[in-house]
Amino acid sequence: MRIATREAPPFAMKGEDGQWHGLAIDLWDSIANENGYAYRFVETDLDDMIDGVADGRYDASVGALTITADREEKVDFTQPFTTTGFGIAVRKSPTAWLALMQNFFTWDFFKAVLALSALLLFVGFLFWLAERKKNPEEFADNASGIGSGFWFSAVTMTTVGYGDKAPRTPAGKAIALVWMFAAIIIISTFTGMIASSLTAGRLAGAIAGPDDLPKVTVGSIGGTASDEWLRQERIAFTGYPSVEAGLKALQDGEIDAFVYDEPLLRYMLRQSRARDVELLPGTFGRQDYGIAFQQGSPLREPVDVALLRYIRSSAWREAVAQTLGKRE
């Protein structure tokens, strides 16, 4: 028998010695042993795994092969041997304090601080002009007096009011009265701007699930079930030739999220131990992996029986747990 497959860790992997192994490969080996099949694997691409079975070049296709309506029109699938969904890989968010510092110390923030300082200096200068002749003890007729005016305007705005400086002239008191009311509006507006900036900074680019994908740049692998799912959800994406290429683009900042089969992403991230990339909790959409046969193939029924027997065994459960680890 000629069995088509392709690299799809951890379901189908080719060792340096050219031998195939993985969850789906071991599953097929168990089925073949039970039914007395002699076989050899033929490496090909995803499209040919379907077309080659449909036209009889291959007896079956084994791997991380998602059962879809379009594929079912060309081939017959066995019962699913695993049910999963799509996963979303993203770059890890910085720690809370680091994120706060990054969002706080921005150019826009410094511009706002400079504008506020300029306003305080202007109001302080007005205080100095009104007080420097009749109140030289607190607002000296020199540069230090302007500094005192700046200080008074600042503590008045913040409602601290230390009491070390106070206007004595009618003009100074009038300016102070107007400034007190104006400062309430200004400081409230400024506080709101800072809070809004920090909140927007924390939310910008944050990805919590598929609803956030239309707002960011997404990557996936073209011609796969994840491609079909993204198109159905009307989510634009950049295609990559492999999971490794997509995850590298994610690490390099070329994309904000990479969408693909959740168990494959989980396995790749577990193997790479990438510290700057993580998989969002949960799965999205639904995927059933099956083995493809030519339509009407007499092999499908005995394979189904052996498959269902194997995936209910402790050997299969232990293999999945050891290979994929615990799902978040």
Side-chain angles (χ1 to χ4, degrees):
M1 297 174 66
R2 288 165 53 87
I3 309 300
T5 190
R6 72 180 186 110
E7 287 268 5
F11 291 91
M13 299 174 283
K14 191 175 185 180
E16 295 180 357
D17 59 357
Q19 298 299 309
W20 287 88
H21 63 283
L23 292 174
I25 300 299
D26 294 343
L27 168 65
W28 174 256
D29 184 62
S30 173
I31 293 171
N33 288 336
E34 181 172 330
N35 291 319
Y37 300 149
Y39 66 91
R40 64 185 179 90
F41 288 112
V42 179
E43 185 174 8
T44 185
D45 58 32
L46 181 60
D47 290 337
D48 195 49
M49 287 179 69
I50 300 299
D51 296 336
V53 168
D55 62 26
R57 285 182 288 120
Y58 309 124
D59 296 287
S61 285
V62 175
L65 197 58
T66 303
I67 302 172
T68 67
D70 290 341
R71 292 172 181 174
E72 186 66 41
E73 289 181 349
K74 298 180 180 180
V75 298
D76 280 345
F77 281 98
T78 61
Q79 296 289 327
F81 59 83
T82 192
T83 297
T84 181
F86 303 103
I88 302 175
V90 298
R91 287 187 301 278
K92 287 185 178 179
S93 302
T95 61
W97 281 107
L98 180 58
L100 179 64
M101 297 295 285
Q102 289 176 342
N103 293 325
F104 197 78
F105 293 106
T106 62
W107 177 238
D108 288 339
F109 174 75
F110 281 115
K111 286 194 295 184
V113 170
L114 289 174
L116 182 60
S117 298
L119 178 60
L120 291 172
L121 183 60
F122 174 72
V123 175
F125 181 73
L126 294 180
F127 280 126
W128 175 74
L129 286 179
E131 297 291 319
R132 64 191 179 94
K133 295 298 185 182
K134 296 185 178 181
N135 190 11
E137 295 83 3
E138 298 180 23
F139 299 93
D141 194 6
N142 52 37
S144 66
I146 298 177
S148 297
F150 180 85
W151 168 255
F152 177 74
S153 65
V155 296
T156 302
M157 165 175 267
T158 58
T159 69
V160 175
Y162 284 104
D164 56 338
K165 307 290 181 186
R168 308 298 181 190
T169 65
K173 292 179 179 179
I175 295 172
L177 184 63
V178 172
W179 177 238
M180 287 176 189
F181 287 104
I184 294 174
I185 299 173
I186 294 172
I187 199 68
S188 299
T189 304
F190 187 70
T191 302
M193 289 173 58
I194 293 176
S196 177
S197 175
L198 292 176
T199 303
R202 291 185 63 184
L203 294 177
I207 305 171
D211 291 342
D212 298 315
L213 293 179
K215 300 177 289 186
V216 299
T217 55
V218 178
S220 188
I221 298 179
T224 62
S226 56
D227 175 340
E228 182 179 339
W229 180 71
L230 288 168
R231 294 182 190 279
Q232 288 177 348
E233 298 296 322
R234 298 182 179 180
I235 299 171
F237 68 94
T238 301
Y240 290 91
S242 65
V243 176
E244 293 88 345
L247 292 178
K248 185 178 185 304
L250 179 62
Q251 288 179 299
D252 294 343
E254 297 177 14
I255 55 177
D256 299 311
F258 185 75
V259 178
Y260 199 54
D261 300 17
E262 190 272 346
L264 275 67
L265 285 177
R266 181 152 46 109
Y267 177 80
M268 294 295 292
L269 292 177
R270 188 184 183 200
Q271 293 299 111
S272 67
R273 301 185 185 279
R275 296 182 179 180
D276 53 346
V277 175
E278 64 183 350
L279 195 62
L280 294 183
T283 59
F284 314 97
R286 173 172 171 161
Q287 285 180 286
D288 295 313
Y289 289 168
I291 299 173
F293 289 98
Q294 192 173 32
Q295 288 188 342
S297 171
L299 296 171
R300 188 170 68 85
E301 186 65 27
V303 167
D304 260 340
V305 173
L307 181 151
L308 291 172
R309 184 178 292 116
Y310 183 72
I311 63 174
R312 283 168 171 74
S313 68
S314 59
W316 171 255
R317 292 193 297 271
E318 290 173 5
V320 171
Q322 290 177 2
T323 304
L324 295 178
K326 183 180 180 182
R327 178 178 292 174
E328 298 296 330

